[in-house]
């Protein structure tokens, strides 16, 4: 099992709109296709920072779920283009992380 830690730079003045879109559209869409979203955070002092995490049981599961989400017409034609209006897609950072032996995130 591993996590995917994703950090986005939200465009100026768009944080509230981004959080609403993530929580009302993107996260429910991904969860409906099997993704496990374990956390969603915004910067406390930096209004351009948005971080979220997803959990995968294996690389095969990640590949299957990526295809279910990102290859869908709904993502390509509606969700993805709208997201691009709110975040700087060029600055997206993705880090795969694994819990340490005593982590509660096992």
């Amino acid at each position: 099992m591993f996590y995917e830690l994703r950090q986005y730079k939200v465009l100026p003045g768009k944080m509230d709109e981004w959080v609403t879109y993530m929580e009302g559209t993107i996260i429910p869409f991904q969860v409906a296709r099997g993704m496990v979203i374990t956390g969603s955070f915004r910067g406390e002092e930096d209004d351009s920072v948005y971080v979220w995490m997803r959990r995968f049981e294996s690389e095969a599961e990640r590949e299957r779920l990526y295809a279910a989400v990102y290859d869908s017409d709904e993502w390509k034609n509606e969700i993805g283009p709208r997201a691009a209006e709110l975040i700087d897609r060029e600055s997206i950072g993705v880090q795969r992380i694994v819990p340490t032996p005593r982590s509660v995130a096992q």
Side-chain angles (χ1 to χ4, degrees), residues 26-38:
I26 293 176
I27 291 174
F29 175 79
Q30 292 195 8
V31 167
R33 277 145 189 84
M35 292 277 190
V36 177
I37 313 299
T38 61

Side-chain angles (χ1 to χ4, degrees), residues 1 3 98-106:
M1 181 232 337
Y3 289 81
V98 295
T100 58
R102 292 191 175 191
S103 173
V104 297
Q106 292 290 337

Side-chain angles (χ1 to χ4, degrees), residues 29 33 35 60-73 75-76:
F29 175 79
R33 277 145 189 84
M35 292 277 190
E61 180 190 54
R62 186 196 69 79
E63 290 174 5
R64 180 180 58 77
L65 292 174
Y66 262 52
V69 168
Y70 300 117
D71 291 345
S72 71
D73 287 339
W75 184 270
K76 290 178 184 177

